Amino acid sequence: DAGVIQSPRHEVTEMGQEVTLRCKPISGHDYLFWYRQTMMRGLELLIYFNNNVPIDDSGMPEDRFSAKMPNASFSTLKIQPSEPRDSAVYFCASSLEKQVYNSPLHFGNGTRLTVT
Amino acid sequence: AQTVTQSQPEMSVQEAETVTLSCTYDTSESDYYLFWYKQPPSRQMILVIRQEAYKQQNATENRFSVNFQKAAKSFSLKISDSQLGDAAMYFCAYRSRDDKIIFGKGTRLHILP
């Protein structure tokens, strides 16, 4: 089990550019979550999917943010256009359904995004 | 909507002593799940302990245990015999009936040698 894989590990971009973050969940996991971590706001839930379908995107801050899950093994989080206030660590996490021994989240290593 | 509150932004404890991190949550649900995660400087998120709300018995994992008070909506984490490797950010998390998982803002724990 390779765990949740995120890429890139670090991303530095200029304001106005498009940024795409990628995530491969653990095989067989039903749920995929995207979080943003900042000092001020902690870990914020942006969006989560169940069986590739978005369930709740109420945490997506603006229309500049979009997320997709075209299949069970891949998801993207896109920011277009990016702004300096988007600088943060973005985590992807996956999980089985909770009835499976109170399945916890398994996190990727995160992408540190810096927008200059 | 559910919320998770960690009222202690930072705490310190002497090595080998015991420390308790607090977490409260607000919910109208009766069936839910709670977690504590640890985030060391490496940025990795590590599961520490988990608790099902329908279980009255408090979860324990080696030196880590919880005090789950359902009526008070409280879920504190106790770390016994604190070690230098316990220094990290600790996050409390709530998983709702519809599987939404939200986190508190975290408590930074310092271990004093």
Side-chain angles (χ1 to χ4, degrees), chain B residues 17 27 48 76 78 84:
Chain B
E17 296 296 308
T27 184
V48 175
S76 60
K78 185 171 85 171
L84 294 177

PDB file of all heavy atoms in Angstrom, chain B residues 17 27 48 76 78 84:
ATOM      1  N   GLU B  17       5.960  13.756  32.125  1.00  0.00           N
ATOM      2  CA  GLU B  17       4.724  14.143  32.791  1.00  0.00           C
ATOM      3  C   GLU B  17       3.508  13.832  31.899  1.00  0.00           C
ATOM      4  O   GLU B  17       3.658  13.378  30.757  1.00  0.00           O
ATOM      5  CB  GLU B  17       4.764  15.633  33.139  1.00  0.00           C
ATOM      6  CG  GLU B  17       5.855  16.007  34.138  1.00  0.00           C
ATOM      7  CD  GLU B  17       5.636  15.359  35.487  1.00  0.00           C
ATOM      8  OE1 GLU B  17       4.532  15.498  36.037  1.00  0.00           O
ATOM      9  OE2 GLU B  17       6.572  14.683  35.978  1.00  0.00           O
ATOM     10  N   THR B  27     -22.830  19.548  17.878  1.00  0.00           N
ATOM     11  CA  THR B  27     -23.553  18.738  16.913  1.00  0.00           C
ATOM     12  C   THR B  27     -24.940  18.429  17.433  1.00  0.00           C
ATOM     13  O   THR B  27     -25.168  18.418  18.646  1.00  0.00           O
ATOM     14  CB  THR B  27     -22.801  17.428  16.623  1.00  0.00           C
ATOM     15  OG1 THR B  27     -23.474  16.701  15.600  1.00  0.00           O
ATOM     16  CG2 THR B  27     -22.708  16.566  17.868  1.00  0.00           C
ATOM     17  N   VAL B  48      -3.745   9.307  15.830  1.00  0.00           N
ATOM     18  CA  VAL B  48      -3.343   8.970  17.194  1.00  0.00           C
ATOM     19  C   VAL B  48      -4.344   8.011  17.826  1.00  0.00           C
ATOM     20  O   VAL B  48      -3.972   6.972  18.384  1.00  0.00           O
ATOM     21  CB  VAL B  48      -3.233  10.244  18.064  1.00  0.00           C
ATOM     22  CG1 VAL B  48      -2.938   9.883  19.514  1.00  0.00           C
ATOM     23  CG2 VAL B  48      -2.156  11.176  17.510  1.00  0.00           C
ATOM     24  N   SER B  76     -11.354  14.973  25.110  1.00  0.00           N
ATOM     25  CA  SER B  76      -9.992  15.399  25.427  1.00  0.00           C
ATOM     26  C   SER B  76      -9.007  14.246  25.248  1.00  0.00           C
ATOM     27  O   SER B  76      -9.363  13.073  25.393  1.00  0.00           O
ATOM     28  CB  SER B  76      -9.918  15.955  26.844  1.00  0.00           C
ATOM     29  OG  SER B  76     -10.307  14.984  27.772  1.00  0.00           O
ATOM     30  N   LYS B  78      -5.416  12.599  26.509  1.00  0.00           N
ATOM     31  CA  LYS B  78      -4.421  12.549  27.568  1.00  0.00           C
ATOM     32  C   LYS B  78      -3.190  11.808  27.062  1.00  0.00           C
ATOM     33  O   LYS B  78      -3.300  10.692  26.539  1.00  0.00           O
ATOM     34  CB  LYS B  78      -4.969  11.867  28.827  1.00  0.00           C
ATOM     35  CG  LYS B  78      -3.999  11.908  30.001  1.00  0.00           C
ATOM     36  CD  LYS B  78      -4.638  11.436  31.294  1.00  0.00           C
ATOM     37  CE  LYS B  78      -4.592   9.947  31.425  1.00  0.00           C
ATOM     38  NZ  LYS B  78      -5.011   9.495  32.786  1.00  0.00           N
ATOM     39  N   LEU B  84       9.881  13.349  24.051  1.00  0.00           N
ATOM     40  CA  LEU B  84      10.258  14.429  23.137  1.00  0.00           C
ATOM     41  C   LEU B  84       9.609  14.253  21.766  1.00  0.00           C
ATOM     42  O   LEU B  84       9.262  15.234  21.101  1.00  0.00           O
ATOM     43  CB  LEU B  84      11.785  14.485  23.003  1.00  0.00           C
ATOM     44  CG  LEU B  84      12.547  14.891  24.277  1.00  0.00           C
ATOM     45  CD1 LEU B  84      14.051  14.830  24.036  1.00  0.00           C
ATOM     46  CD2 LEU B  84      12.140  16.280  24.747  1.00  0.00           C
TER      47      LEU B  84
END
